[in-house]
Structures are given as C-alpha cells and as structure tokens.
C-alpha cells in the first residue's frame, strides 16, 4: 500500500487526477470504477481541464459507478447518475452509453445487482477503482456489518450515513434509506485502487481502516488485502 499525505484538497485532487489520466493514457480503453460524494469532485474538475486542453481522451473509456440510491432515477438531481453526468460525463468525450451506474429504480433490484456484476465481469473487470470513504469506513455503500458482502446488493443505509448525506438534500427525511452498491468482489478484483479522503475528521477512520484489524465492522479495512492500492489523504 502507498499512503500519501498532502496538505490541501487541491493537491489531493490533482494527484488523483494524475493517476487516473495516466491510466487512461497507458490504456485508452480502460474500465474506470468511479465514485460520488464531495471528495472526488476536485479530481473530476481537474480531469475536465486536462480534457479541454487536449491532454486526455475518454472516447474509448468505459465507466462503472459504485452505487445508487434506491428509488431515484437518473433525472433526479440527487441521484448518483445525475451527479456523474453533471460533474463529469457531460464535460468530457466519454460515450454516455459506456457509462454505467446501478439502476436504483429496477423492479428486480436483486436481478439488477447480478446483472451489474456480470457486466463488470464481461468488461474484464475494473482497471482502476476510485474510492472515497465514509466516516464509518463504508466504501461505495458497503456499510459496517457482521460480514463482507461479495456481490452488488441492496443495503439499508445506517443512520449515520443518512445523516452524513443529508447535506446534499433539502432535509434528512428526503435521503433515501436504501441503496444498491457494488460489493467487495468487484471492488477487490479491480487491478488498481485509488482511495482519496480529505479533512481531519477522516483521519481516524483511515487509521483504523489501513492500520487496524481487517473487519467487516470497518468495510474499508478489507482494502489492506489489495495488491495495488494507493491512498491519498489531504489533512485540510
Ligand atoms: C457516500 C458514497 C461513498 C462516498 C461517501 C463519502 O456515502 N456512497 O461512495 O465515499 O459518501 O462521501 P464524501 O466524499 O462526501 O465524504
């Protein structure tokens, strides 16, 4: 594991964007595993800038996102599909047909999960998975539990996660209580993982995740077993 500490959100974002762009330059048809949340926004902005300069070409890239709220369709401004379109996809030359986000409105959510995993398998797996981390150590929406869940599945969000994510909604009541998230197999089988985190309040969970015991009570701790993971942490 490489654990890089930097002193600003901007540096973290630029370093993350550098790693993602190197991946796309080396393998133009990369499968990128992408994340939502406030943390990756700066990296997406930087990648958009480099795309506009002509430095990166996303035309052959495929993306698979980690998760989606159950019950929100892609037109809903709080959905992760909408987030990805607005914060990244609409500003670069990725083919929208090659961008995948789990369908939180699928009638058969279990079937959607199975199909999502099968799709990732058919793509040959994820080349580079970008991750954020929740305050309770969740990655994607893999919440603390008695065991690690392997496949893409529906999850009841913990109260602390609903509270943390309420800042994106008009009120806490509007935050969906369920989500569909990629499970640990697709994440752990990614060839490379890049986890980014920023702010002093994330320090403790990072220490527990990467230097403590591996336990499903801290989902991100499983990443200690990954053979090629880089963590970039900005203290501010
Ligand atoms: C959400 C997402 C996660 C993300 C986490 C942290 O719960 N499902 O993928 O890592 O939020 O968000 P932030 O980056 O805003 O701290």
């Amino acid at each position: 594991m490489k654990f890089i500490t930097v002193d600003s959100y901007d540096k973290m974002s630029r370093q993350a964007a550098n790693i993602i762009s190197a991946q796309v330059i080396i393998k133009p048809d990369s499968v990128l595993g992408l994340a939502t949340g406030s943390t990756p926004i700066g990296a997406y902005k930087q990648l958009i800038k480099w795309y506009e300069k002509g430095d990166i070409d996303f035309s052959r890239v495929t993306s698979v996102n980690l998760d989606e709220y159950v019950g929100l369709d892609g037109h809903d401004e709080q959905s992760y599909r909408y987030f990805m379109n607005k914060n990244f996809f609409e500003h670069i030359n990725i083919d929208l047909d090659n961008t995948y986000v789990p369908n939180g409105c699928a009638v058969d959510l279990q079937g959607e999960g199975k199909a999502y995993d099968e799709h990732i398998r058919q793509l040959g797996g994820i080349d580079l998975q970008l991750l954020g981390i929740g305050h309770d150590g969740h990655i994607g929406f893999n919440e603390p539990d008695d065991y690690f869940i392997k496949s893409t599945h529906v999850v009841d969000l913990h109260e602390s996660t609903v509270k943390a994510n309420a800042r994106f909604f008009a009120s806490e009541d509007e935050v969906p209580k369920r989500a569909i998230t990629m499970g640990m197999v697709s994440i752990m089988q990614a060839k490379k993982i890049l986890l980014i985190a920023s702010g002093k309040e994330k320090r403790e969970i990072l220490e527990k995740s990467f230097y403590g015991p591996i336990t499903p009570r801290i989902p991100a701790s499983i990443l200690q077993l990954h053979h090629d993971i880089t963590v970039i942490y900005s203290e501010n």
Side-chain angles (χ1 to χ4, degrees), residues 34-40 66-69 80 130-135 138-143 157 161 164-165 167-168 179 181 196-198 201-202:
L34 298 178
T36 52
S38 50
T39 313
L66 284 165
D67 46 12
E68 180 60 281
Y69 287 114
Y80 283 171
L130 177 65
L131 293 174
I133 185 168
H135 292 96
H138 72 247
I139 47 175
F141 268 133
N142 289 275
E143 292 278 36
L157 299 178
T161 301
N165 289 357
R167 63 204 149 110
F168 298 111
T181 181
I196 53 177
S198 121
E201 68 286 356
K202 292 267 172 90

Side-chain angles (χ1 to χ4, degrees), residues 183-203:
M184 292 306 190
V185 168
S186 294
I187 294 173
M188 287 299 283
Q189 285 181 345
K191 293 172 190 83
K192 288 192 173 90
I193 294 181
L194 171 61
L195 185 143
I196 53 177
S198 121
K200 291 195 170 51
E201 68 286 356
K202 292 267 172 90
R203 173 187 277 279

Side-chain angles (χ1 to χ4, degrees), residues 29-162:
D29 60 348
S30 285
V31 177
L32 298 180
L34 298 178
T36 52
S38 50
T39 313
I41 290 177
Y44 293 149
K45 280 202 175 124
Q46 184 62 69
L47 287 168
I48 292 165
K49 275 191 199 148
W50 286 334
Y51 162 71
E52 285 168 349
K53 276 188 173 171
D55 287 349
I56 325 172
D57 174 12
F58 291 94
S59 61
R60 293 171 61 201
V61 166
T62 299
S63 71
V64 285
N65 259 77
L66 284 165
D67 46 12
E68 180 60 281
Y69 287 114
V70 167
L72 300 192
D73 76 17
H75 301 290
D76 192 309
E77 292 186 15
Q78 309 296 350
S79 72
Y80 283 171
R81 159 55 77 182
Y82 189 89
F83 174 102
M84 290 309 300
N85 288 352
K86 290 291 158 201
N87 286 297
F88 196 32
F89 300 150
E90 280 176 8
H91 308 280
I92 56 171
N93 66 338
I94 196 165
D95 181 347
L96 266 189
D97 289 341
N98 294 334
T99 65
Y100 298 88
V101 179
N103 177 6
C105 288
V107 182
D108 173 11
L109 286 165
Q110 244 187 331
E112 168 69 11
K114 265 196 185 150
Y116 204 69
D117 287 336
E118 177 55 21
H119 184 66
I120 293 172
R121 208 185 56 77
Q122 278 174 11
L123 288 169
I126 296 164
D127 289 301
L128 174 64
Q129 176 66 57
L130 177 65
L131 293 174
I133 185 168
H135 292 96
D136 58 0
H138 72 247
I139 47 175
F141 268 133
N142 289 275
E143 292 278 36
D145 207 332
D146 293 337
Y147 44 83
F148 292 109
I149 301 182
K150 291 186 277 190
S151 50
T152 298
H153 59 282
V154 175
V155 60
D156 291 323
L157 299 178
H158 289 193
E159 212 184 310
S160 62
T161 301
V162 171

